Amino acid sequence: MKKEVDMIKNVATGGWLAMILWAGLITYLLVNAAVFANLVYYEKWPLQGDTLSYWTRDIALSKTSGPNQEVSSYRIQALQGVKLNGKDPVRTAFFALLPADAPSSINGHLYFSAITAFLFLFMLMIVLLRRTGSFLYAMAAPLVTLLPSGLFNPIYGLPSKLPDLPASFLFGAALFAIFSGKNSRKSELNWIFIAGLLLGLATLARYQLWIYGLFVLGPIAFLCGVRRYFTDGRHVSDIVIYPAVLVAGLGIIAGYFILTWTQQMLAFYSIAGYALNATIATSLKTTGVQLLDYLGMTAVLAGVLVLTGFISIRHGILSKANGWDALAILWALIAYPFLLFGIMRVESIVEQTYYVVPGLMIFLLAPFNGEKGNKNSTEFKIFSFCLILILPLAAIGKTYGYLNSENFIYPREGDVKVAKFQHDLAELVAVNIPQAKSAQPITIDSNFFYYARMMELLVKSKFNRDSKSLMIFQIRQSQWKLSFTGEEETDKSRIMKALAEKVGIFMALTKPLGDAKMNTFVDDYTEHLAEYVNLELAANPAVWEKKGAVTGPYGEVTVYKNRTQGH
């Protein structure tokens, strides 16, 4: 008997080790594909998208001075930046473990993304193993997560600097953990606590995840408690303890962070949450369509086929499935979509859809859980074996096809023109930046879109000049309300003084092309402020020296240098 127990333990240990190695290998290949995508993309394509904002923000946060403005080691500077980061401080802290140039590197953020992807894959394997009892299925089915069409998109996918995909990996790991408890109160509470810890880590990777997580995972923990109440002595304490354990895990990791930043985050999103509170129809037409585009036909079909095979082979134990578990799985599937489209009603923000995927995965890959003792049939073993043969080929083919497609490798004519314009503008800015290194790099700003941030990256990568983008001039009225007043005449009276005091080089879109305004001015308010700034710059040559102009797809951009700055 003892030999049989030892044999079972050895088999289980070997299976867990195999899952760890398999998750590690998939993560390694996944991240290397993302590295390749960035290297190809940034060689030919223009800079664009919100990934730029997080890129320059990471650079700024990693160079934060101490309380007395002393110059510290880059590791200490990164840790100082953590205190100023109310959105995703764990990634900023992670930079302290990496080389000094990691924040400015196009792929420096992927070290942290790799950790989150590994946790996502490993926890998905664990939950599939515990719900099906099949190591082979647990290692095969997660490969479906490699099939979304937008996974390797450098603007909003894994290669990008956006924090949402890594945060969704951690959110998914927490969701998978909460379904991993099995057959005992102790097991269920242990895994719910682990889910709380992972949710806390997800919150440190994206502030609002504690809200999303409690909305999705809280009722699941409650349902687990209700199930235990009815199956094990009707202890009322179970209904309270199960959700409390989840909150405890969350609080241990992220409680202080949540309390510290809640007031500021509420204030920010109440003013600058421009994508919230659209109509449900608008949200579905924009963000909903973006979700479908991100997933793509291949991923959707693969998920449906796995679900169909799972049900058709294991339908015999469906009648034995626990009803409370089925209700929890259903909530995991619909909870976040209901929050996204029904409550928040988010308009045209694709990265907010990533948090749909974990619930979709648990529903498609393990929709019901049979009673203890159910053995997997030969048919299910064959099914799992086929998956582990077919899905890797599908994932490799999908990834190779995307990274070698003409749409990815070759920019369109309009993109080529934008890339040339960005290069020429960066060159003009760079020749006006001193070559000698300075403790305080010259500050730059612009009055159209995020071009100050773009130029900070380009003048460094292409011309080895240091600068710091400030974004004194805002790009939408809600942001003017945060930084100034949002009242046009008042903001006009303040903006030039702020620019003269803080900005060394200013890029002004002095002759905008009418048909390109949608790509440069988000709203009429910002356009009016830009026109005012253009007039003031031209009227004050004693302060603002004209250094040249570049013509591009958006019109003519004039570069001014502040004579009152010491650079």
Side-chain angles (χ1 to χ4, degrees), residues 390-404:
I390 296 171
L391 289 179
L393 296 177
I396 292 171
K398 182 73 175 177
T399 303
Y400 181 85
Y402 174 78
L403 295 179
N404 288 276

Side-chain angles (χ1 to χ4, degrees), residues 30-31 33-35 37-39 41-42 48-55 58 88 91 95 105-114 116 150-167 169 294 350-351 354 402 408:
L30 191 67
V31 172
V35 168
N38 273 339
L39 293 176
Y41 177 84
Y42 286 107
Q48 54 187 319
D50 287 342
T51 185
L52 299 175
S53 301
Y54 285 97
W55 193 348
D58 285 344
D88 56 332
R91 188 167 78 174
F95 280 128
S105 166
I106 61 173
N107 289 314
H109 62 296
L110 290 176
Y111 292 97
F112 175 71
S113 299
T116 64
L151 183 61
F152 294 105
N153 187 296
I155 303 301
Y156 60 80
L158 181 61
S160 82
K161 305 279 184 175
L162 295 175
D164 293 279
L165 197 55
F169 287 154
Y294 170 75
V350 63
E351 55 267 28
Y354 301 153
Y402 174 78
F408 178 73

Side-chain angles (χ1 to χ4, degrees), residues 124 128 132 136-145 147 297-315 360-368 379-380 383-388 390-392 394:
L124 180 54
L128 293 181
T132 67
L136 193 59
Y137 183 78
M139 295 202 299
L143 294 171
V144 171
T145 62
L147 297 177
M297 185 62 70
T298 302
V300 172
L301 285 178
V304 171
L305 288 174
V306 172
L307 174 65
T308 303
F310 187 98
I311 293 175
S312 63
I313 294 172
R314 295 172 66 89
H315 68 276
L360 196 60
M361 287 297 99
I362 194 70
F363 174 78
L364 292 175
L365 304 183
F368 53 85
E379 290 84 356
F380 190 72
F383 175 63
S384 301
F385 183 73
C386 291
L387 288 181
I388 208 164
I390 296 171
L391 289 179

Side-chain angles (χ1 to χ4, degrees), residues 21 44 73 137 299 423 475 517:
L21 294 176
K44 296 181 179 180
S73 72
Y137 183 78
H423 178 276
I475 71 161
K517 284 186 177 181

Side-chain angles (χ1 to χ4, degrees), residues 267-379:
F268 174 82
Y269 284 108
S270 65
I271 296 175
Y274 54 88
L276 299 174
N277 297 319
T279 64
I280 294 177
T282 299
S283 181
L284 290 171
K285 288 178 182 178
T286 56
T287 306
V289 171
Q290 287 176 329
L291 170 62
L292 296 177
D293 289 340
Y294 170 75
L295 293 175
M297 185 62 70
T298 302
V300 172
L301 285 178
V304 171
L305 288 174
V306 172
L307 174 65
T308 303
F310 187 98
I311 293 175
S312 63
I313 294 172
R314 295 172 66 89
H315 68 276
I317 65 171
L318 182 58
S319 61
K320 301 178 182 180
N322 186 283
W324 294 107
D325 177 77
L327 188 58
I329 288 288
L330 182 61
W331 177 253
L333 174 67
I334 68 172
Y336 183 74
F338 174 68
L339 179 65
L340 179 67
F341 300 116
I343 298 177
M344 296 191 296
R345 303 190 300 281
V346 174
E347 178 181 1
S348 196
I349 303 291
V350 63
E351 55 267 28
Q352 287 296 309
T353 67
Y354 301 153
Y355 308 106
V356 174
V357 174
L360 196 60
M361 287 297 99
I362 194 70
F363 174 78
L364 292 175
L365 304 183
F368 53 85
N369 189 14
E371 292 182 346
K372 183 179 180 182
N374 282 310
K375 294 183 178 180
N376 288 305
S377 64
T378 301
E379 290 84 356

Side-chain angles (χ1 to χ4, degrees), residues 148-207:
S149 296
L151 183 61
F152 294 105
N153 187 296
I155 303 301
Y156 60 80
L158 181 61
S160 82
K161 305 279 184 175
L162 295 175
D164 293 279
L165 197 55
S168 74
F169 287 154
L170 295 172
F171 174 73
L175 180 65
F176 303 148
I178 208 169
F179 281 105
S180 295
K182 193 173 182 181
N183 300 325
S184 72
R185 180 184 287 105
K186 181 179 179 181
S187 173
E188 290 166 352
L189 289 176
N190 284 342
W191 281 104
I192 289 173
F193 182 67
I194 292 172
L197 296 176
L198 289 168
L199 181 57
L201 189 58
T203 301
L204 296 180
R206 196 67 163 123
Y207 171 84

